[in-house]
Amino acid sequence: MDPAERGTTMLALPHTPTLTEDQREGGACPWCGTPLTPATSIDLGVRPGLYGMTIHPHGCRACVNAEARRVYAHHCRACSRCHNSEYCDTHQVLRRLALETRQAASVCPYPQRPRRPQPRTPKE
């Protein structure tokens, strides 16, 4: 399955200038820096890089899962169709990506980037 169909092109990468050459070219995860092999990586699709060049990053399953869940949760809150339970194609693709990568989510030995706690809303 190509990255666009799989949904990995919807995942935001860390700021491109801060990535190492290995992270930009798929040899290491752009989020945690784990060295990757073709068997352990997920293709994130071709992305625009610095000075008009393109990069071809790959991520470890744990980080792709964490980012897919984060983007999925944000999408569900922001999309008017999904908010009304009329799930759009983006919802379905992100949900499938989060589910298919969840089995390996605890495998990454490197710490994930820090997450900001979500503000609590008072219950009515």
Side-chain angles (χ1 to χ4, degrees):
M1 186 179 294
D2 95 350
E5 290 175 7
R6 192 168 189 187
T8 56
T9 55
M10 293 183 216
L11 305 180
L13 295 176
H15 191 56
T16 306
T18 64
L19 299 177
T20 65
E21 185 67 28
D22 270 354
Q23 289 172 317
R24 288 191 298 266
E25 296 306 318
C29 178
W31 291 287
C32 68
T34 303
L36 300 170
T37 64
T40 63
S41 68
I42 296 177
D43 187 0
L44 301 175
V46 177
R47 308 285 185 101
L50 297 172
Y51 310 114
M53 298 176 69
T54 57
I55 63 173
H56 197 228
H58 288 67
C60 71
R61 289 189 181 280
C63 290
V64 169
N65 178 265
E67 189 64 15
R69 286 184 296 119
R70 186 190 69 76
V71 173
Y72 173 71
H74 176 73
H75 174 80
C76 290
R77 289 189 307 268
C79 177
S80 61
R81 283 185 59 195
C82 292
H83 195 67
N84 293 324
S85 299
E86 300 171 17
Y87 304 117
C88 67
D89 292 339
T90 301
H91 170 96
Q92 294 170 357
V93 168
L94 288 170
R95 183 175 187 275
R96 185 178 64 230
L97 178 61
L99 290 174
E100 76 182 28
T101 57
R102 76 178 170 181
Q103 292 175 334
S106 63
V107 175
C108 183
Y110 297 92
Q112 302 294 316
R113 64 180 179 201
R115 304 275 186 223
R116 288 188 203 163
Q118 296 295 321
R120 293 186 141 203
T121 56
K123 294 187 178 187
E124 297 176 17

mmCIF file of all heavy atoms in Angstrom, residues 57-76:
data_model
loop_
_atom_site.group_PDB
_atom_site.id
_atom_site.type_symbol
_atom_site.label_atom_id
_atom_site.label_comp_id
_atom_site.label_asym_id
_atom_site.label_seq_id
_atom_site.Cartn_x
_atom_site.Cartn_y
_atom_site.Cartn_z
ATOM 1 N N PRO A 57 11.379 10.170 4.525
ATOM 2 C CA PRO A 57 11.516 9.625 5.879
ATOM 3 C C PRO A 57 10.731 8.332 6.090
ATOM 4 O O PRO A 57 9.754 8.059 5.392
ATOM 5 C CB PRO A 57 10.959 10.744 6.753
ATOM 6 C CG PRO A 57 9.942 11.403 5.881
ATOM 7 C CD PRO A 57 10.500 11.329 4.480
ATOM 8 N N HIS A 58 11.197 7.560 7.052
ATOM 9 C CA HIS A 58 10.516 6.363 7.532
ATOM 10 C C HIS A 58 10.448 6.474 9.052
ATOM 11 O O HIS A 58 11.328 7.062 9.667
ATOM 12 C CB HIS A 58 11.285 5.098 7.148
ATOM 13 C CG HIS A 58 11.218 4.773 5.696
ATOM 14 N ND1 HIS A 58 11.806 5.562 4.730
ATOM 15 C CD2 HIS A 58 10.629 3.747 5.049
ATOM 16 C CE1 HIS A 58 11.584 5.026 3.545
ATOM 17 N NE2 HIS A 58 10.869 3.914 3.716
ATOM 18 N N GLY A 59 9.414 5.901 9.665
ATOM 19 C CA GLY A 59 9.284 5.967 11.116
ATOM 20 C C GLY A 59 9.195 4.587 11.729
ATOM 21 O O GLY A 59 8.832 3.619 11.056
ATOM 22 N N CYS A 60 9.524 4.496 13.012
ATOM 23 C CA CYS A 60 9.338 3.228 13.729
ATOM 24 C C CYS A 60 7.849 3.069 14.029
ATOM 25 O O CYS A 60 7.100 4.052 14.079
ATOM 26 C CB CYS A 60 10.187 3.179 14.995
ATOM 27 S SG CYS A 60 9.648 4.255 16.327
ATOM 28 N N ARG A 61 7.416 1.857 14.214
ATOM 29 C CA ARG A 61 5.995 1.587 14.427
ATOM 30 C C ARG A 61 5.439 2.303 15.664
ATOM 31 O O ARG A 61 4.321 2.798 15.647
ATOM 32 C CB ARG A 61 5.747 0.093 14.544
ATOM 33 C CG ARG A 61 5.922 -0.607 13.234
ATOM 34 C CD ARG A 61 5.452 -2.052 13.302
ATOM 35 N NE ARG A 61 5.660 -2.719 12.038
ATOM 36 C CZ ARG A 61 4.861 -2.607 10.994
ATOM 37 N NH1 ARG A 61 3.805 -1.839 11.046
ATOM 38 N NH2 ARG A 61 5.124 -3.246 9.883
ATOM 39 N N ALA A 62 6.213 2.346 16.725
ATOM 40 C CA ALA A 62 5.717 2.982 17.951
ATOM 41 C C ALA A 62 5.466 4.476 17.744
ATOM 42 O O ALA A 62 4.440 5.009 18.179
ATOM 43 C CB ALA A 62 6.701 2.764 19.093
ATOM 44 N N CYS A 63 6.388 5.163 17.097
ATOM 45 C CA CYS A 63 6.217 6.601 16.874
ATOM 46 C C CYS A 63 5.117 6.886 15.857
ATOM 47 O O CYS A 63 4.356 7.843 16.010
ATOM 48 C CB CYS A 63 7.531 7.228 16.428
ATOM 49 S SG CYS A 63 8.773 7.301 17.723
ATOM 50 N N VAL A 64 5.023 6.058 14.805
ATOM 51 C CA VAL A 64 3.948 6.234 13.827
ATOM 52 C C VAL A 64 2.602 6.038 14.518
ATOM 53 O O VAL A 64 1.663 6.796 14.291
ATOM 54 C CB VAL A 64 4.119 5.279 12.628
ATOM 55 C CG1 VAL A 64 2.878 5.266 11.750
ATOM 56 C CG2 VAL A 64 5.345 5.679 11.809
ATOM 57 N N ASN A 65 2.518 5.051 15.403
ATOM 58 C CA ASN A 65 1.282 4.822 16.144
ATOM 59 C C ASN A 65 0.938 6.020 17.018
ATOM 60 O O ASN A 65 -0.200 6.483 17.035
ATOM 61 C CB ASN A 65 1.394 3.556 16.995
ATOM 62 C CG ASN A 65 0.145 3.320 17.806
ATOM 63 O OD1 ASN A 65 0.075 3.726 18.970
ATOM 64 N ND2 ASN A 65 -0.846 2.702 17.196
ATOM 65 N N ALA A 66 1.914 6.538 17.754
ATOM 66 C CA ALA A 66 1.666 7.684 18.635
ATOM 67 C C ALA A 66 1.220 8.905 17.837
ATOM 68 O O ALA A 66 0.268 9.599 18.224
ATOM 69 C CB ALA A 66 2.927 8.007 19.443
ATOM 70 N N GLU A 67 1.877 9.160 16.718
ATOM 71 C CA GLU A 67 1.517 10.323 15.896
ATOM 72 C C GLU A 67 0.160 10.117 15.224
ATOM 73 O O GLU A 67 -0.644 11.040 15.131
ATOM 74 C CB GLU A 67 2.606 10.603 14.862
ATOM 75 C CG GLU A 67 2.447 11.881 14.119
ATOM 76 C CD GLU A 67 2.545 13.134 14.980
ATOM 77 O OE1 GLU A 67 3.012 13.083 16.129
ATOM 78 O OE2 GLU A 67 2.145 14.213 14.488
ATOM 79 N N ALA A 68 -0.119 8.893 14.770
ATOM 80 C CA ALA A 68 -1.409 8.607 14.139
ATOM 81 C C ALA A 68 -2.548 8.797 15.138
ATOM 82 O O ALA A 68 -3.586 9.378 14.805
ATOM 83 C CB ALA A 68 -1.424 7.189 13.584
ATOM 84 N N ARG A 69 -2.355 8.352 16.383
ATOM 85 C CA ARG A 69 -3.385 8.532 17.409
ATOM 86 C C ARG A 69 -3.585 10.009 17.729
ATOM 87 O O ARG A 69 -4.708 10.467 17.922
ATOM 88 C CB ARG A 69 -3.023 7.749 18.668
ATOM 89 C CG ARG A 69 -3.228 6.247 18.497
ATOM 90 C CD ARG A 69 -2.974 5.449 19.762
ATOM 91 N NE ARG A 69 -1.571 5.555 20.164
ATOM 92 C CZ ARG A 69 -1.155 6.069 21.310
ATOM 93 N NH1 ARG A 69 -2.000 6.533 22.198
ATOM 94 N NH2 ARG A 69 0.124 6.115 21.593
ATOM 95 N N ARG A 70 -2.476 10.775 17.772
ATOM 96 C CA ARG A 70 -2.574 12.202 18.060
ATOM 97 C C ARG A 70 -3.333 12.926 16.945
ATOM 98 O O ARG A 70 -4.256 13.709 17.201
ATOM 99 C CB ARG A 70 -1.180 12.809 18.218
ATOM 100 C CG ARG A 70 -1.199 14.269 18.669
ATOM 101 C CD ARG A 70 0.173 14.899 18.582
ATOM 102 N NE ARG A 70 0.617 15.084 17.205
ATOM 103 C CZ ARG A 70 0.164 16.055 16.399
ATOM 104 N NH1 ARG A 70 -0.739 16.917 16.812
ATOM 105 N NH2 ARG A 70 0.620 16.150 15.166
ATOM 106 N N VAL A 71 -2.979 12.650 15.688
ATOM 107 C CA VAL A 71 -3.633 13.302 14.549
ATOM 108 C C VAL A 71 -5.095 12.862 14.456
ATOM 109 O O VAL A 71 -5.986 13.667 14.180
ATOM 110 C CB VAL A 71 -2.863 13.007 13.244
ATOM 111 C CG1 VAL A 71 -3.612 13.515 12.029
ATOM 112 C CG2 VAL A 71 -1.471 13.630 13.303
ATOM 113 N N TYR A 72 -5.356 11.583 14.697
ATOM 114 C CA TYR A 72 -6.720 11.056 14.668
ATOM 115 C C TYR A 72 -7.593 11.759 15.715
ATOM 116 O O TYR A 72 -8.708 12.198 15.420
ATOM 117 C CB TYR A 72 -6.683 9.547 14.914
ATOM 118 C CG TYR A 72 -8.031 8.897 15.065
ATOM 119 C CD1 TYR A 72 -8.883 8.747 13.979
ATOM 120 C CD2 TYR A 72 -8.444 8.412 16.294
ATOM 121 C CE1 TYR A 72 -10.122 8.139 14.120
ATOM 122 C CE2 TYR A 72 -9.673 7.794 16.447
ATOM 123 C CZ TYR A 72 -10.507 7.663 15.353
ATOM 124 O OH TYR A 72 -11.729 7.064 15.497
ATOM 125 N N ALA A 73 -7.088 11.880 16.935
ATOM 126 C CA ALA A 73 -7.851 12.535 17.991
ATOM 127 C C ALA A 73 -8.132 14.000 17.652
ATOM 128 O O ALA A 73 -9.246 14.502 17.846
ATOM 129 C CB ALA A 73 -7.107 12.441 19.320
ATOM 130 N N HIS A 74 -7.119 14.688 17.129
ATOM 131 C CA HIS A 74 -7.310 16.096 16.734
ATOM 132 C C HIS A 74 -8.340 16.187 15.613
ATOM 133 O O HIS A 74 -9.226 17.055 15.635
ATOM 134 C CB HIS A 74 -5.980 16.706 16.299
ATOM 135 C CG HIS A 74 -6.130 18.106 15.789
ATOM 136 N ND1 HIS A 74 -6.374 19.176 16.619
ATOM 137 C CD2 HIS A 74 -6.113 18.598 14.530
ATOM 138 C CE1 HIS A 74 -6.484 20.271 15.895
ATOM 139 N NE2 HIS A 74 -6.339 19.942 14.620
ATOM 140 N N HIS A 75 -8.235 15.295 14.642
ATOM 141 C CA HIS A 75 -9.166 15.323 13.515
ATOM 142 C C HIS A 75 -10.610 15.119 13.995
ATOM 143 O O HIS A 75 -11.520 15.826 13.559
ATOM 144 C CB HIS A 75 -8.803 14.248 12.484
ATOM 145 C CG HIS A 75 -9.805 14.146 11.389
ATOM 146 N ND1 HIS A 75 -9.822 15.016 10.317
ATOM 147 C CD2 HIS A 75 -10.872 13.318 11.221
ATOM 148 C CE1 HIS A 75 -10.842 14.720 9.535
ATOM 149 N NE2 HIS A 75 -11.493 13.685 10.063
ATOM 150 N N CYS A 76 -10.797 14.157 14.876
ATOM 151 C CA CYS A 76 -12.156 13.864 15.367
ATOM 152 C C CYS A 76 -12.777 15.062 16.079
ATOM 153 O O CYS A 76 -13.991 15.261 16.020
ATOM 154 C CB CYS A 76 -12.134 12.654 16.297
ATOM 155 S SG CYS A 76 -11.814 11.114 15.418
#
